[in-house]
């Protein structure tokens, strides 16, 4: 929280920092599970939603609540969330593509 909420650090307390840490852990578990089971459409959408939620959170902290400044500490998660959303939206069209099985007999 010290690197993110630099504009008004007095507005952020320890409880908020711990909750943010728990959210980060939860989001990382969801994202890892999606990486393991990438063809699970429901999990894919939930993972995509975590990136949207992160993007909205960081943008609101900068432009609405003014607790974060546009430093490298806030730009890095904004870029990760933005590129991840873009990549996942592009990858969405490949979810239904069936991979040919190696075990099928050739005609």
């Amino acid at each position: 929280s010290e690197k993110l909420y630099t504009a008004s650090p007095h507005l952020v307390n320890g409880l908020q920092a711990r909750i943010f840490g728990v959210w980060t852990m939860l989001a990382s578990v969801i994202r890892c599970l999606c990486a393991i089971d990438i063809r699970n459409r429901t999990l894919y959408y939930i993972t995509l939603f975590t990136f949207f939620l992160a993007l909205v959170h960081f943008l609101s902290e900068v432009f609405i609540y003014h607790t974060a400044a546009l430093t490298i500490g806030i730009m890095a998660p904004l870029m990760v969330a933005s590129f991840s959303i873009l990549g996942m939206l592009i990858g969405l069209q490949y979810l239904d593509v069936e991979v040919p099985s190696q075990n099928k007999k050739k005609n």
Side-chain angles (χ1 to χ4, degrees):
S1 66
E2 294 171 0
K3 292 182 181 181
L4 293 175
Y5 305 104
T6 56
S8 298
H10 63 280
L11 295 177
V12 180
N13 62 33
L15 175 62
Q16 291 163 321
R18 289 189 299 276
I19 289 173
F20 183 73
V22 170
W23 154 253
T24 302
M25 289 292 292
L26 176 62
S28 66
V29 167
I30 292 170
R31 293 167 187 171
C32 287
L33 289 173
C34 182
I36 292 169
D37 188 11
I38 194 73
R39 297 210 179 270
N40 184 333
R41 188 174 276 284
T42 304
L43 190 55
Y44 196 89
Y45 283 123
I46 291 170
T47 304
L48 182 59
F49 180 71
T50 65
F51 285 114
F52 273 117
L53 197 57
L55 184 66
V56 168
H57 167 73
F58 289 118
L59 288 174
S60 68
E61 292 298 328
V62 172
F63 296 111
I64 296 172
Y65 301 113
H66 305 290
T67 55
L70 283 175
T71 61
I72 190 66
I74 203 79
M75 290 300 292
L78 283 174
M79 288 174 34
V80 168
S82 300
F83 289 131
S84 297
I85 289 168
L86 181 64
M88 288 190 78
L89 288 175
I90 291 170
L92 195 58
Q93 64 186 337
Y94 297 105
L95 275 184
D96 292 332
V97 175
E98 187 175 325
V99 178
S101 175
Q102 298 290 345
N103 298 331
K104 288 185 179 179
K105 293 181 181 180
K106 295 181 181 178
N107 292 339

